[in-house]
């Protein structure tokens, strides 16, 4: 099965470390759930036959709904944006960007979107032309990332959209808090949690994805949910930053949970001593003999 690449670039995207995460998922499971979807690098690599994906970002989940249900119309709308920017010089492209950003921000009132295909197309357009492929909202929920000056961006991504469309066919797409998952999981389901990371320092701000945030209380709630799911016989795998390790090493966490430190390229230890240089941790209750192990198709390219 050919690997599918994410359509959107997303902060915290996992394309670079798929080779660390996927082997720690179970090789056999019933349904797959990904409650903090973002760019969905793990889901697209795995292409599970069914399950749920979710993110609190409404515009993001509308995007995947359009990819699943209206991809031809989405591709046509993207092509219109491509034709328009291909005619413009740099200065005019920047002006066009800010016009489209205003249009994007005007489409949603009180959570309701007046043109879902257009919003999805504009989300992709902004993702491809903004500064660094960031998604950031101000306090009133307006997308506010500045223009990013890229030469000849492909704002259509036709092949990726077609592949993602196929991968999403039997997937339930949700837009709720991550805790929805406790109501939909069953025994031997697999859940991959990739929350906004626990800050490395008091001042580092890792919860900027949405107006709102993901503080210490939610990190603990996620840990408690992981323990509940474990007790229901669910396979749980979680990515986080090194400061989250202590939460998963507290006494009330079952021994079945292993915490492993990884760098971008290799696993440096298990349950470890020398954690210098660790960039992330992966927590999982999947027993060694049930894991996917090493697979071959991991893309090393970035999410762009
Ligand atoms: C680290 S990112 C996910 C990255 C993703 N795995 C990828 O490969 O691109 C975290 C995501 O969690 C979402 N999020 C934040 N708080 C949430 C919550 N309470 N429930 C569900 N999703 C949430 C953010 O919108 C963001 O897209």
């Amino acid at each position: 099965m050919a690997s599918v690449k994410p359509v959107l670039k997303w902060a915290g995207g996992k394309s670079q470390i798929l080779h660390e995460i996927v082997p720690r998922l179970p090789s056999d499971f019933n349904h797959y759930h990904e409650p903090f979807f973002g760019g969905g690098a793990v889901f697209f690599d795995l292409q599970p036959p069914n399950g749920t994906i979710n993110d609190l970002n409404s515009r993001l989940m509308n995007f995947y709904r359009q990819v699943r249900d209206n991809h031809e119309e989405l591709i046509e709308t993207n092509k219109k944006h491509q034709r328009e920017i291909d005619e413009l010089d740099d200065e005019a492209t920047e002006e066009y960007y800010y016009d489209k950003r205003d249009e994007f921000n005007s489409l949603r009132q009180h959570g309701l979107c007046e043109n879902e295909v257009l919003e999805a197309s504009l989300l992709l357009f902004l993702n491809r032309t903004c500064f660094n492929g960031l998604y950031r909202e101000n306090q009133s929920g307006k997308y506010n990332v500045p223009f990013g000056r890229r030469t000849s961006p492909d704002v259509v991504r036709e092949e990726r959209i077609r592949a993602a469309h196929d991968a999403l066919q039997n997937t339930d797409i949700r837009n709720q808090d991550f805790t929805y998952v406790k109501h939909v999981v069953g025994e031997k389901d697999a859940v991959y949690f990739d929350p906004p990371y626990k800050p490395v320092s008091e001042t580092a701000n890792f919860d900027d994805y949405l107006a709102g945030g993901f503080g210490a209380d939610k990190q603990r709630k996620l840990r408690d949910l992981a323990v509940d799911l474990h007790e229901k016989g669910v396979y749980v795998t979680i990515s986080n930053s090194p400061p989250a390790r202590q939460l998963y090493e507290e006494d009330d966490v079952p021994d079945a949970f292993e915490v492993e430190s990884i760098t971008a390229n290799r696993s440096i230890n298990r349950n470890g001593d020398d954690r210098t240089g660790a960039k992330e941790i992966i927590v999982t209750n999947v027993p060694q003999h049930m894991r996917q192990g090493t697979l071959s198709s991991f893309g090393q390219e970035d999410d762009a």
Side-chain angles (χ1 to χ4, degrees), residues 19-290:
H19 61 290
E20 296 283 9
I21 298 165
V22 178
R24 292 175 170 92
L25 296 170
S27 54
D28 191 28
F29 52 84
N30 287 335
H31 306 286
Y32 176 82
H33 308 277
E34 200 170 317
F36 299 95
F37 195 65
V42 172
F43 170 90
F44 287 122
D45 189 78
L46 210 60
Q47 298 165 59
N50 51 45
T52 66
I53 62 169
N54 176 75
D55 198 288
L56 207 50
N57 186 326
S58 317
R59 289 149 162 170
L60 180 66
M61 295 329 271
N62 171 59
F63 177 81
Y64 293 114
R65 241 178 257 119
Q66 302 317 310
V67 170
R68 185 190 63 190
D69 302 337
N70 289 320
H71 71 308
E72 296 296 353
E73 210 188 323
L74 177 61
I75 290 167
E76 282 318 304
T77 313
N78 296 346
K79 284 183 177 168
K80 178 173 157 286
H81 292 138
Q82 188 78 58
R83 282 194 296 275
E84 287 173 358
I85 56 167
D86 285 349
E87 298 294 309
L88 304 176
D89 63 19
D90 286 357
E91 207 176 310
T93 307
E94 181 165 359
E95 242 173 73
Y96 184 91
Y97 173 88
Y98 286 107
D99 283 350
K100 293 296 160 194
R101 196 178 81 170
D102 286 346
E103 188 176 6
F104 178 71
N105 280 324
S106 72
L107 287 174
R108 209 169 261 270
Q109 308 291 341
H110 310 296
L112 290 178
C113 178
E114 65 187 55
N115 186 334
E116 291 169 338
V117 172
L118 179 59
E119 186 188 72
S121 173
L122 289 174
L123 178 64
L124 177 66
F125 171 79
L126 295 171
N127 187 260
R128 303 293 294 153
T129 53
C130 72
F131 178 72
N132 239 351
L134 281 177
Y135 186 94
R136 194 185 58 203
E137 293 177 358
N138 65 18
Q139 285 302 315
S140 36
K142 301 282 184 210
Y143 176 83
N144 66 359
V145 180
F147 179 59
R149 256 171 248 295
R150 292 181 68 168
T151 39
S152 326
D154 164 19
V155 302
V156 181
R157 305 216 109 176
E158 182 165 356
E159 274 183 32
R160 288 192 188 209
I161 288 181
R162 289 191 184 286
H165 166 80
D166 291 343
L168 286 166
Q169 276 321 290
N170 295 316
T171 303
D172 180 11
I173 300 178
R174 294 177 171 240
N175 174 214
Q176 289 168 274
D177 184 68
F178 67 95
T179 47
Y180 81 96
V181 76
K182 68 179 165 218
H183 305 297
V184 300
V185 283
E187 201 182 347
K188 299 207 185 320
D189 280 5
V191 182
Y192 171 57
F193 290 108
D194 185 17
Y197 283 3
K198 194 163 168 34
V200 173
S201 68
E202 290 289 309
T203 47
N205 189 359
F206 275 61
D207 54 8
D208 240 5
Y209 295 94
L210 288 171
F214 202 88
D217 53 334
K218 291 197 184 148
Q219 293 290 352
R220 185 163 288 277
K221 202 166 166 189
L222 170 60
R223 193 281 311 266
D224 292 346
L225 175 60
V227 172
D228 279 358
L229 297 184
H230 170 74
E231 276 151 14
K232 282 187 177 165
V234 176
Y235 300 117
V236 181
T237 303
I238 307 159
S239 297
N240 215 315
S241 57
R245 170 182 278 271
Q246 69 190 60
L247 261 181
Y248 293 90
E249 290 181 341
E250 287 179 6
D251 289 347
D252 45 350
V253 177
D255 289 346
F257 281 95
E258 282 186 25
V259 184
E260 301 180 60
S261 297
I262 60 158
T263 62
N265 298 317
R266 71 207 153 86
S267 184
I268 58 169
N269 75 330
R270 287 195 31 213
N271 295 329
D273 304 310
D274 173 16
R275 299 202 285 271
T276 322
K279 291 206 175 110
E280 311 222 352
I281 59 166
I282 301 181
V283 183
T284 186
N285 69 344
V286 182
Q288 291 284 345
H289 68 280
M290 301 285 301

